[in-house]
Amino acid sequence: METELIAILGLQWGDEGKGKVINALKNEYEIGVRFQGGANAGHTVYKGEDKIILHQIPSAILCTEKEALITCGCVLDLEALINEIEELKKRNINPEGRLFIDERTPLVFDFHKEEDVLENEKKGKIGTTGKGIGPAYRDLIDRKQIKIGEFKNKDFAYRKFKNLWNWASEVIGSRFGRPVKPLDEVFEKHFSLFEKIKDFLTDGIIFLKEKEKQGKRILFEGAQGALLDILLGTYPYVTSSHTITGGILLSTGVPPWRIRRIIGVMKCYTTRVGEGPFPTEEKSEIGEILREKGQEFGATTGRPRRCGWLDLPLLKYAIRITGTTELVITKLDVLSGFKKVKVCTEYELEGRKIEFPPALSDELYRVKPVYKEFEGFEPDEKDKNLRKFLDFIEKETGTKITYISASKGEEIKKVS
Ligand code: IMO
Ligand code: MG
């Protein structure tokens, strides 16, 4: 019998609590896979009192009997990776023999981060995490990137790197009037970083094929969220990777029909870091309360997150583009204490009512949310008002809620 392959994806603009859900379902898989993004992600997991934030390594690494794979849909920051490995070792978690990196994975170099940060200071910025994600993916699409496995041949890697470095120094020089660090210095730095992690390299496509054959259960761990997808998100206020189920197929070679369980993680309200349209954003005291109660400050950059009510048009869209088969709703305790809780059920755009978001960000900026009010509730499944709130979401989205997360300190609970 074929094992079940599971995907856990964010349905909003990231920070939905994916890390917690992945950790809670630890009995349901043996191998965790990151298929997109890079050090822009911040997955917070609590092990008792200890708070661990993973950026590039799949959360599966925290369970010592599991294996973790970073695929070529990611862009890998070697310096950050080594720091992450050190952090794990400090906690007696040893990734050796359990962490694998697809040789095809492109890299993030210092000049990618430099360009990202400088670009962000310009007008019309996206508000990125400054981790070099956009420039690294651009160079991949532009066919200039270096695949990590290419470092195995130092001379070959140097020739390719020189080409990329020349390009980067032209871009940063002409656009920002700055020099980049000398070619040989940057190359040698990254080469010695590579030497430290080269034992983790593998062919990710064959690795997964073999594991599937052995009947291992695999979990694909999404980073960011559906609305940050490069193609179907709120462009240009998005990240540069494919955050949806399609992104798994692109970088793993796993056949589409093998992934039948797609768990969409959502908060019971909405947050966003960085720029871009956010119809239900509350700039008032309500937003402030959500931010404080929910501790909505970025795990990667520490920036305060923008906060607002749950947005059903965007949620329905995210469920559609991810193929979500079940929902997990997190942070219910953050809404307790509100007398009334609001949910946006549709938008008004130029006098028309619409229940799906418009295709373009420019239009999404102009929609007016129409709200339905719910009685306040406690984060307890037996609370009748909470049940009404959850039933409404299930009915509107046509998708079952399988787990809820009531508070930070507690495990997620199965919904009966
Ligand atoms: P996790 O995995 C929330 C946002 C940035 C910015 C946009 C582009 O923790 O949910 P980038 O650096 O990717 O080029 O920035 O995407 N962003 C995230 N927001 N959670 C994340 O990851 C994010 N990763 C990127 O704030 O608006
Ligand atoms: Mg995060």
Side-chain angles (χ1 to χ4, degrees):
M1 206 188 74
E2 278 184 338
T3 56
E4 187 168 56
L5 305 193
I6 309 175
I8 295 191
L9 303 175
L11 292 179
Q12 291 157 324
W13 283 292
D15 307 319
E16 298 90 351
K18 299 176 288 289
K20 179 170 185 176
V21 179
I22 291 160
N23 196 43
L25 298 185
K26 55 178 170 279
N27 296 329
E28 309 202 20
Y29 63 95
E30 285 89 35
I31 300 177
V33 179
R34 265 291 297 276
F35 60 92
Q36 45 76 222
N40 50 349
H43 294 172
T44 310
V45 184
Y46 285 85
K47 279 207 130 188
E49 287 291 286
D50 192 16
K51 178 177 170 180
I52 306 173
I53 302 176
L54 290 162
H55 297 286
Q56 301 188 102
I57 302 179
S59 314
I61 207 73
L62 300 175
C63 305
T64 51
E65 72 286 4
K66 292 195 200 306
E67 293 180 325
L69 172 72
I70 297 174
T71 77
C72 63
C74 300
V75 283
L76 195 61
D77 179 333
L78 292 178
E79 205 165 9
L81 178 73
I82 289 165
N83 287 338
E84 228 170 299
I85 292 172
E86 290 308 315
E87 279 300 309
L88 289 170
K89 284 187 174 166
K90 269 192 223 157
R91 298 174 160 90
N92 289 325
I93 300 169
N94 188 359
E96 271 147 38
R98 299 195 294 119
L99 176 63
F100 299 87
I101 301 168
D102 188 357
E103 293 194 60
R104 300 172 182 81
T105 309
L107 296 166
V108 177
F109 293 103
D110 289 352
F111 44 74
H112 289 134
K113 288 184 262 188
E114 236 171 282
E115 185 188 336
D116 192 10
V117 170
L118 289 167
E119 196 65 45
N120 244 320
E121 288 164 4
K122 287 201 164 225
K123 249 181 106 190
K125 61 185 183 184
I126 307 284
T128 71
T129 58
K131 302 290 179 189
I133 304 298
Y137 277 112
R138 177 203 58 210
D139 289 349
L140 173 72
I141 301 296
D142 203 17
R143 292 156 294 186
K144 290 191 173 66
Q145 257 284 10
I146 298 175
K147 304 294 193 118
I148 187 168
E150 290 173 334
F151 268 105
K152 286 187 296 189
N153 178 340
K154 192 172 179 185
D155 292 339
F156 176 71
Y158 184 78
R159 284 198 300 280
K160 279 199 76 175
F161 182 79
K162 193 171 170 190
N163 185 40
L164 184 63
W165 181 90
N166 278 332
W167 158 253
S169 53
E170 270 177 48
V171 171
I172 296 181
S174 65
R175 207 163 155 69
F176 306 104
R178 296 236 195 146
V180 295
K181 284 187 206 133
L183 167 67
D184 287 0
E185 182 188 322
V186 191
F187 179 76
E188 286 303 332
K189 173 182 161 184
H190 286 91
F191 186 75
S192 59
L193 293 170
F194 162 77
E195 295 243 278
K196 290 190 186 162
I197 55 94
K198 63 183 179 199
D199 291 344
F200 295 123
L201 295 198
T202 191
D203 182 323
I205 306 292
I206 295 174
F207 175 89
L208 284 176
K209 187 169 172 289
E210 290 299 314
K211 297 293 170 183
E212 258 196 84
K213 219 161 94 190
Q214 293 163 16
K216 298 278 196 242
R217 295 170 304 169
I218 302 168
L219 178 128
F220 299 98
E221 173 176 331
Q224 289 84 50
L227 304 177
L228 288 171
D229 181 83
I230 181 70
L231 272 181
L232 300 185
T234 50
Y235 190 88
Y237 306 99
V238 291
T239 190
S240 297
S241 66
H242 300 281
T243 59
I244 55 183
T245 316
I248 303 172
L249 309 178
L250 293 172
S251 70
T252 64
V254 166
W257 40 266
R258 287 287 285 112
I259 307 168
R260 282 195 295 272
R261 187 173 178 203
I262 302 168
I263 303 172
V265 186
M266 56 178 279
K267 279 195 275 225
C268 53
Y269 52 98
T270 311
T271 64
R272 167 161 219 171
V273 212
E275 303 301 312
F278 182 172
T280 61
E281 181 172 14
E282 282 290 335
K283 292 186 177 149
S284 60
E285 200 196 340
I286 291 171
E288 203 57 51
I289 297 171
L290 291 171
R291 185 158 40 251
E292 284 308 317
K293 276 192 91 173
Q295 279 306 294
E296 297 293 356
F297 298 90
T300 300
T301 58
R303 290 178 290 177
R305 297 176 185 144
R306 298 156 64 193
C307 298
W309 299 112
L310 182 63
D311 183 325
L312 283 183
L314 280 173
L315 180 66
K316 287 179 193 169
Y317 176 74
I319 290 173
R320 166 70 193 177
I321 64 175
T322 51
T324 289
T325 58
E326 62 187 273
L327 292 171
V328 178
I329 303 196
T330 63
K331 299 191 92 160
L332 285 165
D333 57 329
V334 176
L335 291 187
S336 77
F338 281 101
K339 276 209 170 67
K340 302 274 183 197
V341 166
K342 294 210 280 186
V343 174
C344 165
T345 52
E346 55 187 349
Y347 300 140
E348 240 177 61
L349 178 64
E350 284 148 14
R352 280 180 310 123
K353 290 257 173 75
I354 50 175
E355 58 171 67
F356 229 53
L360 307 175
S361 280
D362 167 52
E363 290 167 334
L364 192 60
Y365 265 122
R366 287 186 280 120
V367 301
K368 300 252 169 323
V370 178
Y371 288 106
K372 178 175 165 65
E373 267 192 359
F374 290 82
E375 294 299 322
F377 50 72
E378 288 308 310
D380 174 353
E381 213 204 323
K382 287 182 218 87
D383 185 313
K384 276 207 216 78
N385 290 339
L386 174 62
R387 203 55 254 184
K388 276 188 198 151
F389 177 81
L390 298 178
D391 286 349
F392 183 75
I393 295 170
E394 282 192 336
K395 189 168 125 277
E396 286 290 305
T397 60
T399 313
K400 182 120 193 62
I401 299 166
T402 49
Y403 291 91
I404 53 174
S405 168
S407 80
K408 193 160 91 178
E410 277 175 46
E411 288 278 321
I412 61 171
K413 291 189 198 110
K414 203 163 176 66
V415 182
S416 46

